[in-house]
Amino acid sequence: MLDIPTDLPAELVPLSWLIGVWEGTGVIDYGDHAYTGEFTHRVSFSHDGGDYLNYSAEAWFHSADDPEARTRLVAELGYWRLVLPATEADAGPGLLPALAPAVARTADDIERLRNSDGGFDIEVALVHADGVSELYLGQIKGPRIDIATDAVVRPASAKNYAAATRMYGLVDGHLLWAWDIAALGFELGAHASARLARVE
């Protein structure tokens, strides 16, 4: 059973089913890189009162030959939010303060943001430990999220990585996700998927 906080800003209500710490296992298979064995994935969505969710994720690969041995795969940090029109009440860019007092949005204000599919447009900004940054755009519709990269920025030291899509869904109380990538000279294709249970 999901326990949804009652003190969320209205902007976070559509994303509220994500809040918590999720952990589970998944599989990796991409291009000519097929792996036997599973990886462990731990994902956290939290909020600090702002109009966004904080995100962090870590993954480790487990060798089929030695289940106790694990290799760190990825660490990500980021922010998930509804696409909201910027106003004078928003701070930024940088450290610039807001030019008008903040006005709390209501549930009715958020309902007016629904797109033509009945969902909400979202934006997700992620940075990987290897320096790759991704900006995803997409939508959340009930317990399903579909996002695709609008931009990928990588340092010269990172491996080739051009684009990605991700899908998240809440199924029987579990967070299921799939991540497709275009990288290492391959076209966009299936890369990894996992089934996570809420642990906190």
Side-chain angles (χ1 to χ4, degrees), residues 65-87:
D65 300 328
D66 182 2
E68 296 301 313
R70 65 184 202 171
T71 303
R72 188 180 186 116
L73 292 172
V74 69
E76 299 176 314
L77 295 172
Y79 301 95
W80 295 56
R81 60 184 288 154
L82 296 186
V83 174
L84 301 167
T87 71

Side-chain angles (χ1 to χ4, degrees), residues 35-40 60-73:
Y35 299 91
T36 57
E38 295 183 326
F39 70 93
T40 297
W60 302 269
F61 181 69
H62 299 273
S63 167
D65 300 328
D66 182 2
E68 296 301 313
R70 65 184 202 171
T71 303
R72 188 180 186 116
L73 292 172

Side-chain angles (χ1 to χ4, degrees), residues 81-151:
R81 60 184 288 154
L82 296 186
V83 174
L84 301 167
T87 71
E88 295 293 311
D90 295 316
L95 296 176
L96 296 175
L99 299 174
V103 177
R105 290 182 177 94
T106 66
D108 289 338
D109 294 332
I110 300 306
E111 277 301 309
R112 284 191 282 274
L113 296 174
R114 283 193 186 271
N115 60 33
S116 60
D117 288 335
F120 296 95
D121 295 329
I122 64 170
E123 52 196 21
V124 177
L126 300 180
V127 62
H128 301 226
D130 63 2
V132 171
S133 297
E134 301 169 288
L135 173 63
Y136 286 90
L137 303 178
Q139 81 164 349
I140 181 168
K141 187 174 182 182
R144 181 178 170 130
I145 296 170
D146 292 281
I147 53 177
T149 49
D150 184 59

Side-chain angles (χ1 to χ4, degrees), residues 129-191:
D130 63 2
V132 171
S133 297
E134 301 169 288
L135 173 63
Y136 286 90
L137 303 178
Q139 81 164 349
I140 181 168
K141 187 174 182 182
R144 181 178 170 130
I145 296 170
D146 292 281
I147 53 177
T149 49
D150 184 59
V152 174
V153 178
R154 60 186 176 87
S157 60
K159 292 181 179 179
N160 179 274
Y161 179 66
T165 64
R166 299 191 192 201
M167 185 279 298
Y168 295 78
L170 186 64
V171 180
D172 295 329
H174 287 82
L175 180 63
L176 276 60
W177 66 260
W179 184 4
D180 294 357
I181 62 172
L184 305 176
F186 293 102
E187 298 293 323
L188 186 69
H191 160 57

